[in-house]
Amino acid sequence: MAILFYPEILVAIFLCLLFLCHLRCNKSRTITNWPVVGMLPGLLQNASNVHEYVTWLLKQNGGTFEFKGPWFTNMTFMVTSDHMNIHHMFSKNFSNYTKGQKFQEIFDVLGDGIFNSDSDSWTCQRKLLHTVLKDKKFKLFFEQFVKGKVEKSLIPVLDHVSSFGIEVDLQDIFQRFTFDTACLVVLGFDPNCLSIEFPDVSHAKAFDQLEECLLYRHIVPESCWKLQRWLQIGIEKKLSSAWKIFDQFIYKCISSRQEELSQSKAPKTEEENFDLLTAFGEQAEEIGGIIKSDKFLRDTALNLMVAGRDTISAGLTWLFWIVATHPHVEAKILEEIKEHLLDNGKSKDFNIDEIGKLVYLHGVICESLRLYPPVPFEHKCSVQFDILPSGHSIKPNTTMLCSLYSMGRMESIWGQDYMDFKPERWISERGRILHTPSFKFIAFNAGPRTCIGKDIAFIQLKIIASAIIWNYHVHVVEGHPVSPSISILLHMKHGLKVRISKRNV
């Protein structure tokens, strides 16, 4: 037990005692750099509202400030929402700002996947992902798959809850739907989480648990969570358990898929029997620098599922809350759907090109993502000394935390009406989608790491949103509290309780 005599562990124990005393005081938004404990007490005291708290601090400090952690804990980092700093780090001086070792330690569950990778490994994986996602076979499969899944899975559940007047958590529906779609697209397996029975699925719950536990590693000293991981207690014990459950699920899917493909003699069509993991396995042999193995497939699968499941479900949840609370927005979307997706008053078999004509819906989605980005913050780590456009000096190995949530609430970026929900800010006078630089609208990252799946995400969001809005009216349950959850993804803390009524169309 010699580990208990490390200075950082003693400090961590002291911090816990100090924080318990500090909680007796009234909450305050001010942040004080205390001797020994730094700014940690203020952060912990406002942890339940961390995104708004960080936004307030950034506004008070001109868009960038240095968070001083406790002594001996390696918890000091620079926080920014300055779009010129973002442009500098993500594009102009991209090579100097990597994910870094600290990010990889916090997100160790992601393994060596693309989100955790830097340098040659990242370059190879991005090239591989680009090759697969731009393939005609995948695009054809994806379009037909999403429409089919909406018709065969989502619509029957919404019909059921609307016909019985059932109060339902729309966030849970979206998470079940996107978990099913992510599993099917990535692994070739449909767990059928979304059905009128709303079954409990252990690996889906494990996926949620992983995300909740990972945020904990951001708001306590590294020594604390590493000690808990070593002792297998508290949050870290929950994380390890969830990790084990989900790994068992992924490896089983990989094994089953490989066996299925080895035994299949029938040739595959472009629409059938496609999954990203198989495509990745086939392409990996053709791209140098990637070692094909079950672990590579596991890491790839998990990274793709994080990208394809929770970002979409979180985006949909906030989008439908906004539509439900802005009747004029809902009315304009309905008019646009009627104009472009109907034939003699009936829904037609539309394609991607016709979905692209939903310009106002595109603006609604962008505006929702601006205010409620599914990934609320980004990590970077400096390699060499640098000076940001804001004038802040950055030492080597400095952790940079970029608040995407705060960026959507900055007058310097969006003007005085930054808190107004205005889809029109994304539409030109000629009725076309306006281009906004990615370093201002960073929901899909920026620079060389810009999300390759951005276009696919918009297609999926538009197909799902247009199908639901045209067929149903969503009523948020009166008095239901709406606030961001404390997680690495911007879910709703209490879900989105709604009643759904079918439209007479």
Side-chain angles (χ1 to χ4, degrees):
M1 296 296 288
I3 192 171
L4 292 178
F5 294 97
Y6 286 8
E8 55 266 43
I9 300 302
L10 295 175
V11 171
I13 294 171
F14 170 72
L15 288 176
C16 294
L17 295 174
L18 179 68
F19 180 54
L20 289 174
C21 295
H22 192 66
L23 282 177
R24 296 179 181 178
C25 304
N26 292 328
K27 280 194 174 183
S28 172
R29 269 193 162 186
T30 59
I31 191 162
T32 303
N33 186 16
W34 299 95
V36 183
V37 297
M39 299 177 178
L40 183 61
L43 176 62
L44 291 176
Q45 199 169 20
N46 290 276
S48 62
N49 196 30
V50 66
H51 299 302
E52 292 295 343
Y53 179 57
V54 169
T55 300
W56 181 83
L57 287 174
L58 286 166
K59 289 182 177 181
Q60 297 300 308
N61 291 274
T64 305
F65 78 94
E66 186 177 25
F67 177 89
K68 295 281 190 178
W71 299 356
F72 311 113
T73 61
N74 190 29
M75 199 181 170
T76 296
F77 47 85
M78 191 73 72
V79 189
T80 188
S81 61
D82 185 314
H83 64 284
M84 295 312 297
N85 287 346
I86 300 295
H87 188 37
H88 179 80
M89 291 188 293
F90 285 62
S91 298
K92 287 189 173 182
N93 202 11
F94 171 75
S95 61
N96 192 54
Y97 294 92
T98 64
K99 290 291 184 179
Q101 183 179 352
K102 189 172 182 179
F103 179 94
Q104 292 161 354
E105 288 180 348
I106 290 175
F107 291 94
D108 54 359
V109 68
L110 296 178
D112 299 319
I114 192 168
F115 290 151
N116 257 2
S117 299
D118 285 315
S119 305
D120 293 342
S121 175
W122 171 78
T123 301
C124 289
Q125 290 192 59
R126 187 172 175 88
K127 181 179 180 181
L128 177 57
L129 185 60
H130 185 273
T131 299
V132 174
L133 294 187
K134 299 301 180 182
D135 187 272
K136 178 184 176 182
K137 180 171 61 175
F138 174 73
K139 287 186 175 181
L140 180 61
F141 161 80
F142 189 79
E143 177 189 347
Q144 297 302 319
F145 162 76
V146 174
K147 289 192 293 185
K149 192 65 179 174
V150 167
E151 180 182 343
K152 296 174 184 178
S153 179
L154 183 59
I155 295 299
V157 169
L158 296 180
D159 276 345
H160 174 75
V161 298
S162 64
S163 62
F164 286 94
I166 300 171
E167 183 180 305
V168 68
D169 180 359
L170 194 57
Q171 177 169 260
D172 180 49
I173 287 179
F174 288 144
Q175 287 180 318
R176 288 171 178 272
F177 177 83
T178 54
F179 188 80
D180 284 349
T181 56
C183 285
L184 194 50
V185 171
V186 176
L187 299 169
F189 169 74
D190 189 347
N192 290 312
C193 294
L194 182 60
S195 66
I196 60 175
E197 293 84 12
F198 290 93
D200 286 333
V201 182
S202 60
H203 41 265
K205 284 190 173 182
F207 197 90
D208 294 334
Q209 188 71 63
L210 286 174
E211 293 177 350
E212 293 171 8
C213 293
L214 288 174
L215 186 75
Y216 174 79
R217 293 181 173 183
H218 290 79
I219 59 178
V220 298
E222 182 179 343
S223 55
C224 286
W225 65 260
K226 284 190 173 181
L227 175 62
Q228 286 192 326
R229 184 177 64 182
W230 185 69
L231 295 174
Q232 278 299 285
I233 59 175
I235 295 292
E236 288 296 318
K237 182 179 180 180
K238 293 181 181 179
L239 190 150
S240 295
S241 176
W243 187 341
K244 182 179 180 180
I245 291 171
F246 201 75
D247 266 8
Q248 289 173 344
F249 166 68
I250 287 186
Y251 279 119
K252 183 178 180 180
C253 287
I254 291 172
S255 177
S256 298
R257 190 60 173 156
Q258 288 174 338
E259 183 178 353
E260 178 186 333
L261 292 173
S262 66
Q263 295 178 354
S264 177
K265 296 181 180 179
K268 292 187 294 182
T269 66
E270 289 190 340
E271 297 87 353
E272 297 177 328
N273 300 321
F274 180 90
D275 64 88
L276 285 176
L277 208 59
T278 302
F280 261 56
E282 294 171 351
Q283 291 290 333
E285 298 176 356
E286 302 177 13
I287 296 178
I290 294 178
I291 300 176
K292 182 182 175 182
S293 66
D294 282 356
K295 184 182 183 303
F296 160 74
L297 294 176
R298 175 265 179 206
D299 293 347
T300 299
L302 182 54
N303 280 251
L304 290 174
M305 289 182 70
V306 169
R309 187 252 190 174
D310 284 296
T311 54
I312 297 297
S313 66
L316 284 168
T317 303
W318 290 106
L319 173 66
F320 273 88
W321 172 66
I322 286 170
V323 171
T325 53
H326 293 73
H328 69 284
V329 171
E330 181 182 42
K332 287 187 178 181
I333 294 173
L334 286 168
E335 289 177 8
E336 189 173 59
I337 292 173
K338 187 176 181 180
E339 180 181 354
H340 296 292
L341 300 186
L342 300 185
D343 187 7
N344 294 323
K346 295 183 179 181
S347 178
K348 60 183 178 181
D349 186 19
F350 55 85
N351 55 36
I352 290 177
D353 292 335
E354 289 166 319
I355 279 287
K357 296 176 182 178
L358 302 180
V359 174
Y360 185 78
L361 179 57
H362 187 99
V364 171
I365 293 171
C366 287
E367 190 72 340
S368 178
L369 294 174
R370 175 181 75 86
L371 290 169
Y372 302 100
V375 181
F377 52 84
E378 280 274 0
H379 281 251
K380 293 287 184 181
C381 183
S382 60
V383 177
Q384 299 177 342
F385 175 83
D386 193 19
I387 298 179
L388 297 178
S390 60
H392 292 82
S393 297
I394 305 299
K395 297 177 182 179
N397 203 34
T398 297
T399 298
M400 307 294 300
L401 198 61
C402 309
S403 176
L404 282 62
Y405 183 90
S406 301
M407 288 182 71
R409 288 159 170 74
M410 291 293 156
E411 183 177 342
S412 58
I413 301 177
W414 303 103
Q416 294 182 347
D417 59 355
Y418 65 94
M419 283 305 295
D420 294 343
F421 189 81
K422 292 179 60 177
E424 292 78 11
R425 75 172 84 238
W426 302 90
I427 304 170
S428 71
E429 293 182 358
R430 299 176 63 183
R432 297 179 180 177
I433 298 168
L434 283 173
H435 170 71
T436 300
S438 58
F439 59 86
K440 291 185 177 182
F441 176 54
I442 197 173
F444 294 93
N445 215 307
R449 279 191 179 263
T450 297
C451 177
I452 298 175
K454 177 180 178 179
D455 292 341
I456 292 172
F458 270 109
I459 290 169
Q460 189 171 3
L461 288 167
K462 288 179 181 179
I463 289 175
I464 297 168
S466 59
I468 295 176
I469 293 172
W470 180 252
N471 289 287
Y472 308 95
H473 178 63
V474 176
H475 314 253
V476 178
V477 172
E478 187 175 353
H480 176 69
V482 173
S483 61
S485 65
I486 307 305
S487 174
I488 59 170
L489 277 297
L490 201 69
H491 299 301
M492 286 189 179
K493 184 184 297 185
H494 307 286
L496 182 59
K497 298 288 184 170
V498 302
R499 291 186 183 277
I500 296 173
S501 57
K502 197 167 178 66
R503 294 188 193 278
N504 296 318
V505 295

